[in-house]
Amino acid sequence: MRICGGGKAEARIAVMPGTGEIGRFAADELQKYVRKMSGVELPVKAGENLEVTGDILLCYGKDADRWCEGKAVSGCKEDSYAIRVTDDRLYLLGQNERGLLYAVYVFLEDELGVGFLAPGDENEWVPRRRVITVKPSYHLAEPAMRLRGFSCSLIDEVDWMAKNKMNYVLVDENTSGELIEEAKKRRMMLYFSGHSFYRWLPPAEYWETHPEYYSLLNGERVCNYQQGEHMGHQQICVSNPDVIGIVSQNIIRFIEEYPENDFYTLWPNDAEAWCECENCRALDGGEVNPLNGNQSNAGSYVYFANRVAERVAVVHPEKKLNIIAYRSTLVPPSDPTVFLHPNIVLEVAYWGRPCDHPVGQSITEEEIARRMRRAEIGSEEFDTWKRRYLVYGEFLQRWGEIAKGDLLIFDYMMASQSTLSLPYPMFGTVQEDHKFYREIGVAGCYMQAHKNNCTAYGLNYWMGAKAYWGGPQDVDKCLNEFCEKRFGAGAVPVKTYFQVLERSFRSQTCGFSPFTVSRILRPEVVDKCRKALEAAASLVHRNPQKEWLARTRLHFEYAYKTKLYYDACRLIIYQIHEGNEAESMRSLMDAYLKTRELYDQVMELRGCDILSAYRVVLHSLIKQEGKRHGDVPLASVEAAEKVTEYLWPRLYDIQGW
């Protein structure tokens, strides 16, 4: 089928009756990208009898079934789509409104070569074509996961989500109305999220008159919070019947005020400090978190969530509550009679898992010991690391049984301030994770990410999105597609660069830490990466690929300079002990300034207070080095803080701050 050629349109877009606003939006998107590719604007028609006058037909639901081959698209999973090309017609068909939009984007990506590589028009690849033709074919696709999310604070991110077949957006009280409208335009579900115990039981309203509503710690009721904040440093008394009733009523009132949301959060505050009262303790089953030796609070949390869900469901049976297994609630209850209310969706956030190894996959003790040696972690910590590598798969399986098909994964694809935009090439691990997710029936994934980190983690984001929709992907095939669209003539050497980094990441690291960069960027790895990027630069001469490559090279140099800073942090301890304080200070400041200079240049990296973050790095490394060399006083938190406080003002003095 010929769509355009010679500067003229040779097809018309027909928005079939009944497709409404989403049909027109999908048509406009198709029209826009064809115009970008060819300079030709396809006419868009709406109304009756369009199957006679239209050449490209857009439709969804049962009305689309008559153009399907074999299985009807309306009977497929939610968000499914079908694309049918004949000699003279193109049919873009959806199971629902989102499915129709996905059909347009998949056609643009797979048939016309467009690349939706990262959020923002500046991160899209649109090839130039004078003539656009497509061969006869038929393709029907269903999602591997029912729920597919991405952290969103920008309209560009909402747009990218739809183009990569994601269907729910996390919002909170700070989300702009404009962003919510853009999400609705793409028919995305809204997921009111965040750590929320103090939102539903605000201390400003209840603490002074009812301290018994809040955590009992060491024999005293405690509630530290700041006015206007919805998250504190302690939890609430989840066994208290009055607390259950108040939280339920406040959620019901919130639903009635903001009915557009599909999910409502019931997350604990981002802290430990669970209530130690006799009733709360009795609800916890005695499970111990093998990662830190602390008691799990998942039993009392599940009890509380179920009671709240029961009350909310009486008034709003169509709405879902979302809870999270995280920190103190990560370890699931072992009691086989424990289940979740059907209106609860559970999310498991395994912060701290070893990102260099797929979850649920076995690993030998010898391999764990080898990785620990490479990471210079003492053998006395072997049991802790063994548990880290093995328990997350066990936790997920048990939570899956409790959640009965409503289990989500909170994916740390790297966007938090703590990672400082340093390399975490997880794209291979992510695909293997999804083999396990498919085995245990995970219903969805949410990706913690940010547009400003796309140079650092864009490949993680893009390949993660592919897995959310289609299940485990062929890593080599995906790398080829990403690099060809992102880097053009430089695709082969840039692919080598990513592969070298990923192999080093998976063979050298042991867990999740900013210090990982020191182990990834060994001298031979730095040499291979630089040569690959230099080879790509000699091949890429046109924008936008030239600019994208320049960002990638800048990011690599930033990571390398950060490694030097970390190395200088380690060295300073010994130089101070030997009386070379002035020299060590100059070395450390020189390393810091070189890193800071590059960080400021890399505009797309996530903005954060890098000075404060690097102070934390110095503090952590002092503790780490003290432990490694048996210096117990230096390894203590108090001593590390004391040394950090001693060093840091001197760094300010040297710089003149």
Side-chain angles (χ1 to χ4, degrees):
M1 177 186 174
R2 192 173 167 101
I3 293 176
C4 67
K8 295 182 179 180
E10 299 186 28
R12 294 153 295 183
I13 303 172
V15 182
M16 299 302 292
T19 56
E21 293 179 1
I22 194 68
R24 181 67 208 207
F25 179 66
D28 290 344
E29 289 288 273
L30 178 60
Q31 182 189 60
K32 177 176 73 175
Y33 283 97
V34 169
R35 182 173 63 248
K36 284 185 175 183
M37 294 177 72
S38 65
V40 173
E41 183 157 314
L42 302 180
V44 177
K45 304 291 184 182
E48 302 296 331
N49 301 318
L50 289 175
E51 57 187 291
V52 176
T53 61
D55 306 291
I56 302 173
L57 274 66
L58 277 60
C59 193
Y60 71 86
K62 291 188 177 297
D63 290 340
D65 290 344
R66 56 177 162 160
W67 293 302
C68 293
E69 295 181 7
K71 187 176 183 179
V73 70
S74 69
C76 294
K77 294 179 182 178
E78 188 176 26
D79 295 349
S80 298
Y81 66 84
I83 300 172
R84 180 185 176 192
V85 185
T86 67
D87 289 333
D88 59 357
R89 288 286 176 87
L90 166 62
Y91 301 93
L92 300 173
L93 312 170
Q95 181 270 341
N96 57 7
E97 292 179 296
R98 284 192 299 269
L100 171 59
L101 192 56
Y102 297 163
V104 170
Y105 292 137
V106 172
F107 173 74
L108 290 168
E109 192 173 33
D110 291 353
E111 296 292 337
L112 303 190
V114 175
F116 303 116
L117 306 172
D121 291 346
E122 70 277 13
N123 290 307
E124 295 180 352
W125 168 243
V126 182
R128 301 293 182 263
R129 297 172 61 173
R130 287 177 53 83
V131 177
I132 299 178
T133 61
V134 286
K135 296 179 180 179
S137 63
Y138 184 73
H139 172 61
L140 183 146
E142 299 179 89
M145 289 186 163
R146 188 174 82 247
L147 296 168
R148 306 170 300 279
F150 184 90
S151 53
C152 248
S153 59
L154 303 170
I155 291 172
D156 281 349
E157 291 167 339
V158 174
D159 184 54
W160 182 83
M161 287 178 65
K163 290 169 177 173
N164 284 274
K165 300 183 288 296
M166 294 187 175
N167 63 359
Y168 75 90
V169 175
L170 266 67
V171 298
D172 59 27
E173 64 275 1
N174 298 316
T175 303
S176 72
E178 186 180 7
L179 187 146
I180 290 174
E181 287 306 310
E182 290 296 325
K184 289 180 179 179
K185 182 193 296 186
R186 293 159 177 81
R187 300 304 187 260
M188 290 186 179
M189 291 178 279
L190 298 179
Y191 192 135
F192 186 83
S193 185
H195 300 282
S196 61
F197 271 9
Y198 282 4
R199 162 175 279 286
W200 306 129
L201 193 73
E205 186 172 347
Y206 298 104
W207 168 242
E208 288 189 5
T209 55
H210 291 284
E212 72 275 14
Y213 291 174
Y214 299 88
S215 288
L216 181 73
L217 300 173
N218 299 317
E220 294 184 10
R221 294 288 174 177
V222 182
C223 176
N224 295 328
Y225 73 101
Q226 292 184 1
Q227 188 70 29
E229 289 191 353
H230 299 302
M231 183 172 69
H233 301 291
Q234 294 85 31
Q235 307 297 345
I236 60 179
C237 184
V238 293
S239 64
N240 188 312
D242 290 340
V243 169
I244 293 170
I246 292 169
V247 168
S248 302
Q249 285 303 313
N250 285 340
I251 291 175
I252 289 168
R253 279 195 290 269
F254 189 86
I255 290 172
E256 289 166 356
E257 186 175 356
Y258 299 98
E260 67 270 19
N261 296 302
D262 300 275
F263 303 86
Y264 295 82
T265 178
L266 193 55
W267 289 12
N269 296 331
D270 196 0
E272 305 287 339
W274 281 73
C275 184
E276 298 171 350
C277 77
E278 184 177 343
N279 291 334
C280 284
R281 284 291 193 187
L283 291 170
D284 290 318
E287 295 86 7
V288 174
N289 188 332
L291 303 178
N292 57 22
N294 296 335
Q295 177 174 314
S296 170
N297 301 109
S300 57
Y301 181 39
V302 168
Y303 169 85
F304 170 72
N306 280 337
R307 303 291 84 74
V308 172
E310 289 169 0
R311 288 160 173 75
V312 173
V314 171
V315 184
H316 294 288
E318 77 287 2
K319 298 297 185 180
K320 295 271 190 178
L321 298 184
N322 169 242
I323 68 173
I324 189 166
Y326 170 68
R327 297 181 68 165
S328 294
T329 61
L330 177 63
V331 181
S334 56
D335 183 348
T337 66
V338 172
F339 293 100
L340 290 177
H341 187 279
N343 278 24
I344 292 177
V345 174
L346 169 72
E347 202 155 7
V348 177
Y350 35 65
W351 177 266
R353 64 160 281 198
C355 300
D356 55 317
H357 188 75
V359 66
Q361 193 175 103
S362 62
I363 184 171
T364 65
E365 292 189 356
E366 291 76 12
E367 176 60 18
I368 296 172
R370 185 191 72 81
R371 296 186 187 198
M372 290 178 64
R373 287 193 299 272
R374 296 259 192 173
E376 299 179 341
I377 297 174
S379 59
E380 70 278 2
E381 297 188 45
F382 176 79
D383 288 342
T384 298
W385 280 100
K386 178 181 176 181
R387 289 190 291 268
R388 285 191 177 186
Y389 276 105
L390 297 177
V391 298
Y392 288 103
E394 299 171 9
F395 293 167
L396 282 179
Q397 284 185 297
R398 175 62 186 135
W399 276 123
E401 295 167 358
I402 293 171
K404 291 185 174 181
D406 278 326
L407 176 65
L408 307 183
I409 304 298
F410 188 106
D411 253 343
Y412 291 100
M413 290 289 190
M414 305 307 121
S416 64
Q417 177 171 311
S418 62
T419 61
L420 294 175
S421 294
L422 296 172
Y424 283 86
M426 295 168 55
F427 50 84
T429 304
V430 167
Q431 303 309 319
E432 294 180 54
D433 285 347
H434 278 264
K435 295 177 183 178
F436 182 64
Y437 297 162
R438 184 165 58 185
E439 290 174 10
I440 65 174
V442 170
C445 282
Y446 161 80
M447 186 187 304
Q448 187 185 66
H450 196 279
K451 175 185 176 180
N452 290 350
N453 261 325
C454 282
T455 293
Y457 309 126
L459 184 55
N460 287 350
Y461 300 167
W462 186 80
M463 288 184 70
K466 295 289 184 187
Y468 289 6
W469 174 267
Q473 302 291 297
D474 182 319
V475 174
D476 192 67
K477 181 180 178 182
C478 283
L479 263 179
N480 285 338
E481 180 182 350
F482 184 87
C483 291
E484 286 166 6
K485 290 179 176 179
R486 186 78 166 171
F487 303 105
V492 173
V494 176
K495 178 185 175 183
T496 298
Y497 162 74
F498 284 129
Q499 289 173 322
V500 168
L501 272 184
E502 201 247 356
R503 281 195 295 267
S504 181
F505 176 78
R506 295 187 69 166
S507 66
Q508 299 297 325
T509 61
C510 194
F512 176 80
S513 161
F515 313 136
T516 297
V517 70
S518 290
R519 300 192 289 272
I520 296 176
L521 298 183
R522 306 182 316 279
E524 65 273 22
V525 172
V526 171
D527 183 61
K528 289 178 181 178
C529 287
R530 279 197 174 130
K531 286 180 177 177
L533 294 176
E534 287 168 2
S538 70
L539 298 170
V540 178
H541 306 293
R542 297 167 61 180
N543 281 327
Q545 284 97 343
K546 184 177 179 179
E547 180 183 342
W548 292 339
L549 179 60
R551 293 180 191 173
T552 301
R553 297 182 73 186
L554 185 60
H555 175 255
F556 176 75
E557 291 303 321
Y558 159 74
Y560 178 66
K561 294 297 191 300
T562 300
K563 166 190 162 57
L564 297 182
Y565 172 78
Y566 289 175
D567 293 344
C569 285
R570 288 191 172 95
L571 181 61
I572 194 172
I573 299 168
Y574 306 104
Q575 290 179 323
I576 289 173
H577 286 177
E578 295 169 5
N580 297 324
E581 179 184 327
E583 180 181 346
S584 64
M585 287 295 180
R586 284 192 293 271
S587 299
L588 185 61
M589 179 52 71
D590 182 62
Y592 169 75
L593 289 177
K594 288 180 179 178
T595 309
R596 177 60 186 261
E597 180 184 0
L598 276 180
Y599 192 96
D600 288 343
Q601 289 180 42
V602 185
M603 297 302 292
E604 73 280 358
L605 296 180
R606 177 79 179 270
C608 71
D609 182 357
I610 191 170
L611 190 63
S612 297
Y614 276 27
R615 183 186 185 284
V616 172
V617 166
L618 178 60
H619 175 261
S620 300
L621 278 169
I622 290 169
K623 287 194 295 181
Q624 181 176 308
E625 291 298 316
K627 288 180 180 178
R628 181 174 300 142
H629 296 281
D631 188 344
V632 178
L634 191 60
S636 72
V637 174
E638 294 79 7
E641 184 65 31
K642 186 175 180 180
V643 175
T644 307
E645 294 292 349
Y646 172 75
L647 293 175
W648 206 251
R650 286 160 176 76
L651 295 182
Y652 275 70
D653 291 342
I654 291 171
Q655 179 63 17
W657 291 332

